[in-house]
Amino acid sequence: MEGDLRIDAAGAWKRKVGFSFDGEALTASEGETLAAALHAQGRRTLRIHRDDGGPRGAFCFMGVCQECVVLIDGRQTEACRTLVREGLVVERLR
Ligand code: FES
């Protein structure tokens, strides 16, 4: 799926913040979770499973499944429980 699925995709009601995901510059609305921001912009693979090499992405969006774990500042972090902030550097977990 392409395009930005967010209701405020036109940027009408919230301040935008910039962050990067695997070196790609993206934006999010202030207060948005990282998982929601990535999902809305079509970035569904957040990590690669260590055993089968398959793609994994946000599933529960509430901190239970651990499928959304990414690397932020070298630490494994749940994207669904992380608010995007300006300058956040996020890497896909491999
Ligand atoms: S989506 Fe399930 S823990 Fe983040």
Side-chain angles (χ1 to χ4, degrees), residues 15-20 26-28 30 83-89:
R15 190 173 79 88
K16 294 292 184 186
V17 293
F19 70 102
S20 71
L26 298 172
T27 60
E30 191 171 52
L83 295 181
V84 179
R85 60 183 184 278
E86 184 66 41
L88 195 67
V89 177

